[in-house]
Amino acid sequence: MSEALIRVENLWRRFDVSKPWLNRVIEREERQFLTAVADVNFEIRKGETFALVGESGSGKSTIAKMVVGLIPASSGRILFDGTPMTGTVGADMRAIRRRFQMIFQDPFASLNPRWHVGDIIAEPIHTFGLASGADAANQVGKLLDTVGLSAKDAEKYPHEFSGGQRQRIAIARALSSRPEFIVCDEPTSALDVSVQAQILNLMRDLQDELGLTYLFISHDLSVVRHMANRIGVLYLGRLVEVSEGKSLFRQPQHPYTRMLLDAVPDLAMSGRRRKPVEGEIPNPINPPSGCAFHPRCPVAMDRCKVEAPKDRDTPIGRAACFALEMQPA
Amino acid sequence: MADVLLSVRDLVVEFPTRRGILTAINKVSFDIHAGEVLGVVGESGAGKSLTGAAIIGLLEPPGRVAGGEIRLKGERIDNLPPEGMRKIRGRRIGMVFQDPLTSLNPLYTIAQQLTETILTHMPVSKVEARQRAIALLDRVGIPAAARRIDDYPHHFSGGMRQRVVIALALAAEPELVIADEPTTALDVSVQAQIIDLIKEMCSERGAAVMLITHDMGVIAETADRVAVLYAGRLAEIGPVHDVITRAEHPYTRGLMGSIPTLTQDSDRLVQIPGAMPRLTSIPKGCAFNPRCDQVFARCHTERPDPIDRPGGRQVACWLYQKEMANV
């Protein structure tokens, strides 16, 4: 595989969720912080699909937003093709900014209802000065064609399209600045399965054609398995396991990954008995000490309660768990 | 097979609008047997939730049942006056909705909501009702039920709230529970707990379940039989294993192929072209004909009725009529 396009190093994000100042004074409360992302490291190689999975509140979308710069990181670095995203400003930043785009979850909210579809798609073209006038209109037509709509649709408004078609428009907009890297935050979770299949197929075709790199965020493990080359599993803002795509499903290493896979209802009806999962995700304002997963972990030891495990190489990638140290890989 | 508990025959649900009448459910028929779990699947707009709402008499006006019959143990319930329906709703048919936050009243404690349901439907005293409520909460897996019963819904997490809703639906020991997307708002790890709970609770009490969902994985693990709806019509109904592994209706086949699984390896997913028609423009003949890859002349003109197939399956597709004629 080729070199890394995105490198995320020691990424942290804390949100201040304190009550207003006066309430804090009267009620004698401390400031409260929610750690949404804690010390996350990963890299995305050129041309691959890297997926982040996790339950709600695990920090998937927060990471996605930090990678495209929609929210700043509390600490840590994100390198795009070797250039750090924080500290780069002006023309340099603009040059980088053109090279990545984002597709959002809800195609009903991500398209401006007052704009023609053509204008929506042309906006990045104009912003980055890639083309103008008839040339831009021409490109919009081609983009619509690429995503399976017709060039005539440029004159319509978003409300004239169904959810799947709107997601196609969102994809066309993402492609219009000719990016190399696209962050997809739950791109199909608002869609029906048959439409989801159309969009997933389209995304893979575009990747083959244009050599795109994807950061793919989803809570749906079967979708992730279908799309991703490599997968990172998040739990309470911590990356507990990173592994090659299909191997993760064959031999999950971290107990949380194992639990997550056991919980997925299976269409193949293999007759396996699902292990009942204990408990729910704890409150991220007061995460458990040591390994964040220890209250729900079937193999938790005393050590897990006091010490946070470090990443450790596994046959299929890496995982952060003390139990893996006991049984040498 | 056990007795027929609920029988739906030629159900038609209409919405009168300014631009004419929209038929949201068009002649759907199926049975639910005592103690079984019937899955109802389909994409958005297929009429899954409306079918449930029609059965329990909670159609939002101007929607109305315009034809057909719904019978609970042989007794017609679709034409009951509101008062009569209220006695059945909650008592004989329980309901679990998708969003546990909106199906609980935020201004009342869990105890008030549970005892209200129990007192309405059962001849017990207030003290007994409270004890029953605590036992129920305990049974659905709420830790420290006796203490938590006096909490408000916002004190509970999403999964816990859905447990409370299930307790509420089962409070009066109904014969049928209609669960409309009970796990859609929940995370996978919690989803599995809730599915197990619904299954256990119902088999313990011998209650039948109508499980409405768009998630085929949930159906595969939970249901005994499954009904596939398309554009307000029944496409296929049969034992869950048969329908999932050997789907006969071209729509069901496409639907199954379009779902990525955890075990199969394929580069592309099966793709059904187009999208489900809007209610205003349902095509003539078979509603699926513009998207079907095996369409022929008859599909454009005549609507297929469900045809009996081996193994207790019914398929609404002319392909099988032809086959039968050839035999």
Side-chain angles (χ1 to χ4, degrees):
Chain A
M1 208 79 192
S2 53
E3 77 272 36
L5 184 66
I6 295 282
R7 191 185 290 278
V8 170
E9 291 173 353
N10 307 100
L11 191 67
W12 286 81
R13 174 70 213 192
R14 286 188 199 84
F15 291 105
D16 187 346
V17 290
S18 319
K19 290 185 177 164
W21 171 80
L22 191 60
N23 291 59
R24 285 207 308 274
V25 171
I26 295 170
E27 292 162 28
R28 290 165 195 272
E29 281 185 21
E30 302 272 301
R31 276 181 167 272
Q32 279 194 319
F33 292 95
L34 184 154
T35 306
V37 176
D39 202 16
V40 165
N41 293 281
F42 63 86
E43 56 177 51
I44 306 174
R45 299 165 194 154
K46 266 185 188 142
E48 79 168 353
T49 302
F50 181 78
L52 286 175
V53 292
E55 299 178 85
S56 34
S58 60
K60 309 182 292 287
S61 293
T62 308
I63 293 179
K65 285 181 189 150
M66 284 193 285
V67 167
V68 293
L70 286 177
I71 52 175
S74 299
S75 71
R77 292 206 304 170
I78 299 167
L79 299 162
F80 182 85
D81 212 1
T83 320
M85 303 254 294
T86 40
T88 309
V89 285
D92 292 343
M93 189 61 205
R94 271 179 81 80
I96 299 179
R97 194 64 194 78
R98 183 193 63 76
R99 295 167 60 191
F100 53 85
Q101 285 291 342
M102 185 155 178
I103 300 168
F104 296 90
Q105 172 171 7
D106 184 357
F108 291 84
S110 66
L111 303 176
N112 189 332
R114 291 162 183 265
W115 282 27
H116 284 294
V117 165
D119 296 332
I120 292 174
I121 297 173
E123 194 185 15
I125 300 180
H126 294 306
T127 307
F128 293 108
L130 300 173
S132 58
D135 197 18
N138 208 349
Q139 284 190 19
V140 169
K142 273 197 201 129
L143 283 163
L144 281 168
D145 200 49
T146 314
V147 297
L149 296 170
S150 99
K152 281 182 299 194
D153 291 331
E155 274 145 48
K156 294 185 184 162
Y157 285 98
H159 76 259
E160 294 172 67
F161 296 90
S162 67
Q165 288 171 322
R166 284 183 205 215
Q167 205 57 303
R168 287 173 193 267
I169 296 170
I171 293 173
R173 172 179 60 184
L175 292 176
S176 69
S177 70
R178 284 176 243 144
E180 294 149 51
F181 174 59
I182 299 183
V183 175
C184 320
D185 189 0
E186 302 262 14
T188 59
S189 63
L191 307 174
D192 276 317
V193 278
S194 72
V195 181
Q196 165 173 293
Q198 296 170 1
I199 297 294
L200 294 180
N201 283 343
L202 173 67
M203 289 178 61
R204 282 185 80 145
D205 291 347
L206 290 172
Q207 182 169 39
D208 292 346
E209 251 167 66
L210 307 169
L212 295 169
T213 307
Y214 289 135
L215 170 60
F216 192 91
I217 312 266
S218 180
H219 68 278
D220 186 332
L221 285 160
S222 42
V223 168
V224 162
R225 181 177 183 276
H226 180 73
M227 293 295 288
N229 303 104
R230 289 192 311 131
I231 298 171
V233 182
L234 285 165
Y235 185 74
L236 268 181
R238 290 148 183 88
L239 202 53
V240 296
E241 178 160 7
V242 178
S243 133
E244 297 301 322
K246 303 260 187 306
S247 323
L248 183 80
F249 291 86
R250 271 196 301 274
Q251 35 180 335
Q253 303 288 316
H254 196 281
Y256 175 64
T257 317
R258 252 178 276 153
M259 189 194 90
L260 207 55
L261 287 177
D262 269 345
V264 182
D266 185 12
L267 195 59
M269 298 201 296
S270 44
R272 81 204 151 104
R273 180 77 198 113
R274 269 187 289 109
K275 271 192 224 99
V277 179
E278 295 296 323
E280 297 176 24
I281 289 199
N283 183 349
I285 296 175
N286 293 308
S289 61
C291 171
F293 185 58
H294 84 254
R296 299 171 80 187
C297 183
V299 294
M301 305 170 276
D302 290 340
R303 192 179 174 191
C304 306
K305 291 175 190 155
V306 287
E307 206 182 326
K310 293 219 163 45
D311 277 339
R312 177 186 167 76
D313 286 334
T314 65
I316 56 167
R318 62 183 162 92
C321 181
F322 288 123
L324 294 171
E325 286 174 23
M326 312 270 289
Q327 34 171 357
Chain B
M1 202 70 198
D3 302 341
V4 173
L5 177 68
L6 183 89
S7 116
V8 176
R9 284 287 164 275
D10 296 324
L11 180 69
V12 180
V13 173
E14 289 180 347
F15 284 82
T17 68
R18 248 177 296 166
R19 278 174 290 173
I21 290 171
L22 297 180
T23 309
I25 295 178
N26 197 339
K27 295 200 173 171
V28 168
S29 305
F30 60 87
D31 291 333
I32 301 179
H33 304 275
E36 92 170 334
V37 180
L38 176 76
V40 177
V41 293
E43 299 179 77
S44 9
K48 312 182 290 288
S49 295
L50 275 180
T51 309
I55 291 170
I56 201 164
L58 286 178
L59 279 177
E60 293 268 344
R64 59 164 193 243
V65 176
E69 293 184 349
I70 303 169
R71 286 174 187 273
L72 184 65
K73 283 209 171 144
E75 174 195 342
R76 267 191 86 161
I77 59 168
D78 55 304
N79 54 1
L80 285 178
E83 197 50 42
M85 196 60 218
R86 197 180 302 163
K87 291 217 176 80
I88 289 179
R89 197 186 301 135
R91 177 72 189 92
R92 298 183 62 191
I93 306 180
M95 183 96 197
V96 178
F97 294 96
Q98 171 169 355
D99 185 354
L101 191 56
T102 49
S103 44
L104 293 171
N105 189 330
L107 299 178
Y108 290 91
T109 63
I110 301 302
Q112 287 168 316
Q113 304 190 44
L114 269 172
T115 48
E116 186 197 5
T117 310
I118 296 171
L119 287 171
T120 311
H121 295 296
M122 311 201 113
V124 291
S125 72
K126 272 193 172 168
V127 179
E128 275 175 307
R130 189 179 161 87
Q131 275 164 0
R132 266 191 116 99
I134 293 173
L136 262 171
L137 287 182
D138 193 46
R139 183 62 200 84
V140 296
I142 306 252
R147 191 159 47 82
R148 299 223 62 189
I149 190 165
D150 292 311
D151 283 350
Y152 287 90
H154 73 264
H155 290 126
F156 290 83
S157 68
M160 284 296 159
R161 253 182 242 141
Q162 197 61 300
R163 287 171 191 270
V164 173
V165 173
I166 291 171
L168 207 51
L170 292 166
E173 300 185 347
E175 296 149 68
L176 173 70
V177 175
I178 299 179
D180 189 355
E181 305 267 9
T183 58
T184 308
L186 307 174
D187 278 317
V188 270
S189 68
V190 181
Q191 188 180 335
Q193 300 169 2
I194 297 296
I195 293 171
D196 281 351
L197 180 67
I198 292 178
K199 260 178 106 163
E200 268 173 44
M201 297 291 288
C202 292
S203 65
E204 222 169 71
R205 280 146 214 260
V209 184
M210 177 170 159
L211 179 67
I212 301 169
T213 177
H214 68 277
D215 187 334
M216 287 308 296
V218 170
I219 292 284
E221 297 232 330
T222 318
D224 300 310
R225 289 192 309 139
V226 58
V228 182
L229 293 183
Y230 182 78
R233 301 160 188 211
L234 190 72
E236 181 162 0
I237 184 168
V240 70
H241 191 266
D242 293 1
V243 172
I244 287 181
T245 53
R246 291 177 284 117
E248 292 193 329
H249 196 286
Y251 172 64
T252 322
R253 228 180 287 151
L255 191 67
M256 297 304 158
S258 68
I259 304 169
T261 68
L262 291 179
T263 42
Q264 277 153 20
D265 284 303
S266 60
D267 259 5
R268 288 182 70 80
L269 299 166
V270 177
Q271 193 167 319
I272 314 176
M276 194 155 66
R278 293 182 186 193
L279 287 179
T280 45
S281 55
I282 292 182
K284 215 167 160 285
C286 172
F288 187 59
N289 78 56
R291 303 174 73 189
C292 184
D293 53 1
Q294 288 167 288
V295 64
F296 55 101
R298 195 172 181 185
C299 308
H300 292 290
T301 51
E302 263 180 282
R303 175 182 165 183
D305 280 322
I307 296 159
D308 283 324
R309 302 277 302 150
R313 194 186 322 202
Q314 287 186 319
V315 183
C317 178
W318 288 126
L319 284 173
Y320 300 98
Q321 185 78 20
K322 194 177 63 178
E323 200 173 279
M324 279 165 79
N326 289 346
V327 172

